[in-house]
Amino acid sequence: MATHAIDTHDTHDHYHPPGLQHQFEDMGQQQESASIGMWMFLVQEIMFFGGMFTVYLVFRSKFPMAFAAGSNHLNVYWGAGNTVVLIVSSLTMALAVHYAQTGKRMAQVVCIILTMILGATFLGVKAIEYADKYHEGIVPVTGLNLRTALHTEPNTAGGSHVPGDPDSLEKSSLDAPSSAENQRGTSGSASNSAGHVEDEYVNPNGNFLWTDTSLAELAQKEDYLTTAEKVGYFSNGQIDANKFRDKVRIFYYIYFMMTGLHALHMIIGLGLMAWLLWKAWSGAFTADYFSPVEMSGLYWHFVDIVWIFLFPLLYLLGRHFGAGGH
Amino acid sequence: MQNASAINSAEYIEKPTNYLNNGYTIKSWLLTKDHKRIAIMYLIVVSIFFMMGGLYAATIRLELLTPQSDLLQTQTYNKVFTQHGILMIFFFLIPSIPAILGNFLIPIMIGAKDLAFPRINLLSWYLYMIGGMLTLWALMQGGVDTGWTFYAPYSTQFSNSYVMAVGLGIFINGFSSILTGLNFIVTCHTMRAPGMTWFRMPLFVWAHYATSLVMILGTPVIAITILLLAAERLARIGIFDPAIGGDPILFQHLFWFYSHPAVYIMILPGMGVISELISNFSRKKIFGYEFIAFSSIAIAVFGFLVWGHHMFVSGQSIYAGLVFSFLTMVVAVPSAIKMFNWTATLYKGSILFDTPMLYALGFLGLFLIGGLTGLFLGSMGLDVHLTDTYFVVAHFHYVMVGGQVIAYLGGIHYWWSKMTGKMYSEFWGKLSAMLVFVGFNLTFFPQFILGYQGMPRRYASYPEELQVLNIFSTAGASVLGVGLVMPVIYLTHSLIWGKDAPANPWMLPGLEWRIASPPPTENFETTPIVTWEAYDFSDENGLDMEEARRKNIVTV
Amino acid sequence: MQNTSWVPFFPEQASSFAWQIDALYFYLLAISAFFIVVIVAAIFYFGVRYRERERYTNGAEIHGSIALETFWSIIPFIISMTIFLGGAIVYYNQYRPPADAMEIYVVGKQWMWKAQHGSGQREINELHIPVGRQIKLTMTTEDVLHDFFIPAFRTKTDVVPGRYTTIWFEPTKPGKYRLYCAEYCGLNHSGMGGWVYVMEQRDFDNWLSGNVSGQTPVEAGRDLFENKLGCASCHQGNDQGRGPNLAGVAGKEVRLASGQTVVADDEYLRNSILNPTGQIVEGYQPIMPTFKGQVTEEQLVQLIAYIKSLGGNTTTGATTRTAATNSSTMTTGSAPVNGGAADSMTPPKADRGSAVNNQGSNPNAPETRSEPTNTNR
Amino acid sequence: MAHTHDEHKNNLDSHDEHSGAHHIVSIPLYLMVFGILMVGTILTVLVAFVDLDHIFPGANTLVALTIAFVKMTFVMLYFMHVKYSSKLIWLTAIAGFFWLAIMFAYTMQDYLTRSQGVFNG
Ligand code: HEA
Ligand code: HEA
Ligand code: CUA
Ligand SMILES: [Cu+2]
């Protein structure tokens, strides 16, 4: 078999330190390759998350108040707590590398275990937060939430939402010219309130509950709405809870996509740690050969860095509006 | 240790084992970590995808023979061109040269035993296979009809074809591409043999280094974009669909952030091959080595700044359009530099017109036309009229088929003896090269005219007054098809009945020609020490021309 | 087409800035020709002059030349800048609508173009415009991206859901020009097109006031069905379209989605056109837009005459006709977007007064609210 | 074959990367970095509740991102040993963020210079 032949063929004139792969000349070359390779991988990761950050940037710059509203509803204590957890785990990871470099097996094992525990804690907290949001009915699109209807004043409901009509969302949103009328802030046309006494907004994808438009009102009052917001939140010159809610939903889409991807990386990281733990336990790493520990460390720290940005962007960006969470 | 410069490769080097006869079991292939075997596995699969893409192309051309959509239903036609584009781009052209020739040659060219991460290399192949199989499965189930560009909101809300499955296939395949790029970069940094400085590397390696940069920096973005698209389809997440608050132009930004650089993934390796061919078949050092090397990097870097030229009429702001148009012009300059240097290399050469060189010269002409028509499109005012017409179709086939595919064929012929240890028939080679050239022009040149007349692309039926040129195009495609089927036959034929290849059939100085054909598993018995520049034909370089002439080594 | 120009295979120039695009085109052709000739000539010359004379002789040792490299970097750069500037200027002219342009609203929809004139006149897959007037189109779409493309005018622009895009031109020659959809938009993308009629002002005024030509009702109906109203884009005459095959429908029994059966008499046909969602044929989505307000009574008669004339060589009774897979149903099982979209395109009654007031200053499409949407569900 | 390796190194133009001896960061230094990170975290939370936007719009975001950036820098330099790594690693890390910036900048140059394109939904 080919691979077998490679190995036997090679050994005859080389001293083979443990862990040296056949294609390399020496440990130095191997370590260098591993570290460049890992960094290239991290660059790849930066761009991967970068796509999401771009999406965030675009929508946040359009709808800052909706984002602030959504963000304020997240629990800052859980978020901050998790940040601390991750930073501590980064420390233990760094220590694990340190002990690997200095060849201390037991300390290394302990550090890895600690890192894993902290990582799991992080995921646990995330799970709690997700569950929380789920029970509050603000996980967009799950469709599994209680279908509690949101009642709004008839005159702010945009007129075209027919009770119980699942198409009404599309109907209004594709009815482009009429919304443009709204843009001008003129009063609606004669027909739009025909027969709607009680408007009930039913999201065809399950309910995403959101009634609080106070931030949009605040911004309207103090006049710092963006152009997009001036169009995007209003129906007939008044703040439309439903339209505002749709923008908050975008925040939550992005929140769940970003934190979900981050959590996925944590899970992969935990798998990596488990493997490291097993290797470290069986004494595979020495002061000469520890690059797997180092490389996993790089990965772990990177995931930490992503969170360092996610935390302020998702949890903190609207706190100063004083509209507070719940 | 034996000094590499003493190797006289004109002789047959009898090697008891080479990478091909080193194990015959299926397992010895499927679990191999040998970059050469992985390259061969890519060769097989990529060829299959090419044939499938080609069959779709043939179907397109047949349908377009008549103005009505009579051969295919409109629905089917939409799927056919989409799948043609997807298979050709993601599963054929992007992996073609890098994963086959790059994989096989980069370690050899820089004097290494293997890539830096052989296992990851194998993983890349498996990811490619999984992605490919998933896509094929989806095509079997019913296919996609979104166009290869997957524009939202059609792809996210309106199409009821297998967008998710194909998207997932491309997603997985993307990681294959990323890992290949990663492997090449690390290999170039750490695996070079003693004496193989950066500026002694063959330009083929430089081109792949640049390509790899694009792969690593660009591909993740398409991955996340497809993920978002899938999320939007699955759960109606409103990122791209305006009906629920999203922004369809954002999709285009994200898509082209990758897909424009990706067109350079699709040409840079070809440019690398052409640099090798032009220089070696002129038996002369390449003109302006450093300029060609750096222009590859420049293309890779600036290629990231121009994606908006696909969006001049999309509703992007005029200001953004101006910036992107300007940068598009800037990025054409490095290509121009390459073009001129290649031409200059021919000057005072000793030019050999073997099959690979025919392809190389064909490349120069076709890429020239393709690239220049790129300038038409990059010029905003003109693009307004030309975008989404057959002019664009003709442009990108000129650069992709006339460029990369031709380069790929040239490369395959050039290194065929090295890869397989067999010589193909030069007569058939030349014949097919010429057929391809003629057929290609006949197929795609009329499309420029069609495009300027205003024939929109992705049309299953078209106005009758446009039929004449379409008939030309279809006729050309038939010639092209014949020209492309021929290599499949004579190359396969050569595997069994071909003459055994000498180590260095053309007496060339590259490292790959200093080892046996096919190479031994370990590439080099001992690590070579490089003391010569790239394309060094001087006599001090250990190539004993007198000896070769005396022995009259016959190349073809 | 209107291939009257002396250059073969060259599209007609029919807008005020078409010459600019053509000039730019010829400029680029000249540049290309120059580089192609120079490079190909060099290749041929070198190929012949320096072909290998004796086996294994090497070429001359030349490494490169900084002077040459600089030369051939700077020259292309300068040339490419002229191309950029030319393109930018032309583009700017094309996308800066003059202030006093006549405004027409265009809405794209899978797979038809709907236009409404300032006077309230509506048309489908056609655009009638007067010659020599600057015309500005304000465009959007109800579903996916489309692209409004008139080759003879050398201009096009995407229409984007949720946004307005604009395009302007000044037609210079009366005639009939092709109109295409140039952005892929699904099944019938290649059928989404029609004609632009550039008319003398006098003819245009006539047209606006609704003059019709002397065709038989069936002929006129066919014209309406196939071209003017775009019925054929859904009723393709086979069962793959989004709407049912109408051949042989007249007089037969039709199964409705509600389970009832009705006889397709004139009244039924008329209702199907004016109020399509009232009686949905079994197996189809309620996507057919209402044509109320767009067809005159006279045209209705013509349409019905035409549908009846389709005869019944298709023997498949209405009851056995099965639905084509509707390309717009969503995989998620949530509300069909198209369903909503169709409802929303209720055409308004032409209201000349207010629409005229809106002209020029108002970026919005004409009012669509003057009539309630289908409330008879 | 020992001399091969030597030559191998000598001929690499980047031999500083090749030194097998990896820098070992001392534990106190790690702890110090950790301290900085914790302070940063607390600071960013506290600042978030103070309204800085009246200074100029977006000031809060700017401060939050600056703190995050500083934290990231420390993690990269010390935890990820970039400080002790070759130029190539520096370059790689910077290039990654640079490309991200390209994506942001060139996307936003479109969004900031045209109508926001929302009239519904
Ligand atoms: C291998 C792939 C490849 C390559 C290399 C290129 C190269 C180039 N492309 Fe192309 N392109 C595609 C593949 C490629 N393209 C594809 C697939 C599409 C369509 C995607 C889709 O919509 O489906 C596309 C579409 C496309 C568009 C969008 C068209 C539209 O949809 O409206 C534009 C617009 O600017 C463009 C421009 C260019 C330019 C300026 C170059 C330049 O890099 C070319 C540079 C080369 C030269 C210029 C020739 C050599 C130079 C000289 C001989 C000297 C003279 C030069 C000067 C005076 C400057 N391309
Ligand atoms: C690598 C990329 C690549 C390649 C190689 C090709 C190759 C060809 N393409 Fe295509 N093409 C695209 C990429 C490519 N294309 C893309 C991206 C699109 C846009 C899709 C979209 O709009 O979304 C497109 C669209 C496209 C269209 C426009 C469709 C439309 O807009 O309506 C047309 C029309 O003529 C066309 C034709 C051809 C032809 C005739 C070939 C020929 O060159 C093919 C020649 C090859 C063969 C004939 C096969 C060779 C055979 C063998 C090697 C083996 C023999 C096989 C057997 C024995 C079975 N292609
Ligand atoms: Cu509408 Cu294509
Ligand atoms: Cu491009």
Side-chain angles (χ1 to χ4, degrees), chain C residues 44 62 94 153 157 204 228 275 289-290 306 332 342-344 358:
Chain C
F44 266 98
I62 306 173
Q94 256 170 310
F153 296 171
T157 288
F204 179 70
K228 297 230 172 74
N275 191 1
T290 163
Y306 171 66
T332 50
D343 285 356
S344 74
N358 285 343

Side-chain angles (χ1 to χ4, degrees), chain B residues 317-338:
Chain B
S317 81
I318 296 184
Y319 170 77
L322 284 172
V323 173
F324 282 127
S325 174
F326 171 79
L327 289 162
T328 302
M329 296 301 150
V330 173
V331 83
V333 174
S335 301
I337 295 177
K338 280 181 193 271

Side-chain angles (χ1 to χ4, degrees), chain B residues 124-426:
Chain B
S124 293
W125 186 79
Y126 275 102
L127 287 175
Y128 174 73
M129 286 302 284
I130 296 170
M133 291 304 131
L134 192 64
T135 307
L136 286 187
W137 174 83
L139 299 196
M140 239 68 114
Q141 295 301 301
V144 268
D145 68 347
T146 58
W148 83 279
T149 47
F150 293 102
Y151 273 12
Y154 182 72
S155 61
T156 57
Q157 302 299 341
F158 288 81
S159 169
N160 61 354
S161 54
Y162 285 74
V163 180
M164 295 266 289
V166 173
L168 191 60
I170 292 171
F171 181 85
I172 296 173
N173 182 46
F175 284 95
S176 161
S177 175
I178 292 171
L179 292 179
T180 304
L182 187 152
N183 225 332
F184 286 173
I185 289 194
V186 177
T187 305
C188 290
H189 275 285
T190 64
M191 306 295 282
R192 282 169 290 124
M196 178 56 80
T197 59
W198 283 94
F199 289 99
R200 282 178 176 172
M201 292 195 320
L203 288 168
F204 180 81
V205 183
W206 270 101
H208 276 81
Y209 187 83
T211 310
S212 306
L213 288 177
V214 183
M215 286 174 165
I216 287 190
L217 290 164
T219 318
V221 180
I222 190 82
I224 188 80
T225 312
I226 287 183
L227 210 63
L228 283 169
L229 189 121
E232 184 150 338
R233 267 185 89 79
L234 198 67
R236 289 209 76 195
I237 280 189
I239 307 253
F240 302 133
D241 185 1
I244 34 181
D247 184 340
I249 297 181
L250 180 59
F251 177 86
Q252 298 177 23
H253 276 300
L254 290 174
F255 180 85
W256 290 115
F257 181 88
Y258 163 74
S259 291
H260 180 81
V263 309
Y264 294 118
I265 297 181
M266 295 183 251
I267 197 66
L268 282 168
M271 292 172 155
V273 171
I274 297 305
S275 300
E276 295 295 306
L277 292 181
I278 298 275
S279 172
N280 282 322
F281 283 91
S282 307
R283 309 192 65 78
K284 179 164 171 293
K285 189 170 166 52
I286 196 150
F287 195 88
Y289 172 98
E290 293 83 0
F291 287 88
I292 298 189
F294 280 129
S295 64
S296 290
I297 306 290
I299 290 177
V301 171
F302 286 107
F304 275 94
L305 306 178
V306 306
W307 78 80
H309 67 205
H310 295 268
M311 300 163 59
F312 287 148
V313 301
S314 71
Q316 176 183 248
S317 81
I318 296 184
Y319 170 77
L322 284 172
V323 173
F324 282 127
S325 174
F326 171 79
L327 289 162
T328 302
M329 296 301 150
V330 173
V331 83
V333 174
S335 301
I337 295 177
K338 280 181 193 271
M339 202 70 217
F340 295 127
N341 278 307
W342 288 325
T343 314
T345 304
L346 297 174
Y347 175 69
K348 291 206 172 166
S350 170
I351 303 170
L352 212 66
F353 290 97
D354 283 352
T355 313
M357 188 59 165
L358 290 189
Y359 277 111
L361 296 177
F363 174 100
L364 294 189
L366 299 180
F367 177 72
L368 185 60
I369 298 180
L372 286 166
T373 52
L375 297 178
F376 287 54
L377 298 169
S379 177
M380 302 166 85
L382 203 43
D383 184 65
V384 172
H385 178 57
L386 294 174
T387 186
D388 277 321
T389 65
Y390 266 75
F391 195 95
V392 177
V393 174
H395 155 68
F396 67 71
H397 283 92
Y398 261 86
V399 273
M400 298 202 296
V401 185
Q404 178 93 332
V405 175
I406 296 278
Y408 168 68
L409 289 171
I412 288 281
H413 283 88
Y414 178 44
W415 284 295
W416 186 255
S417 59
K418 188 54 60 183
M419 292 171 76
T420 63
K422 299 288 182 181
M423 302 302 285
Y424 57 87
S425 152
E426 191 64 26

Side-chain angles (χ1 to χ4, degrees), chain C residues 61 104 248 311:
Chain C
E61 272 213 45
I104 301 177

Side-chain angles (χ1 to χ4, degrees), chain B residues 47 50-51 54-55 57-58 60-61 64 77 81-82 84-86 88-89 92-93 147-149 390 393 396-397 400-401 405 440 443-444 447 457-459 473 477 480-481 484-485 488:
Chain B
S47 303
F50 181 46
M51 287 176 201
L55 283 182
I60 295 179
R61 281 319 325 166
L64 293 179
Y77 180 80
F81 73 71
T82 302
H84 166 68
I86 289 174
M88 282 296 199
I89 290 210
F92 166 62
L93 205 58
W148 83 279
T149 47
Y390 266 75
V393 174
F396 67 71
H397 283 92
M400 298 202 296
V401 185
V405 175
F440 175 83
T443 312
F444 292 107
Q447 294 185 0
R457 58 192 283 210
R458 298 170 172 175
Y459 261 31
S473 184
L480 178 58
L484 285 170
V485 172
V488 180

Side-chain angles (χ1 to χ4, degrees), chain B residues 83-106:
Chain B
Q83 285 153 198
H84 166 68
I86 289 174
L87 288 186
M88 282 296 199
I89 290 210
F90 294 109
F91 295 98
F92 166 62
L93 205 58
I94 287 182
S96 62
I97 296 184
I100 300 169
L101 298 174
N103 228 330
F104 196 97
L105 290 160
I106 287 177

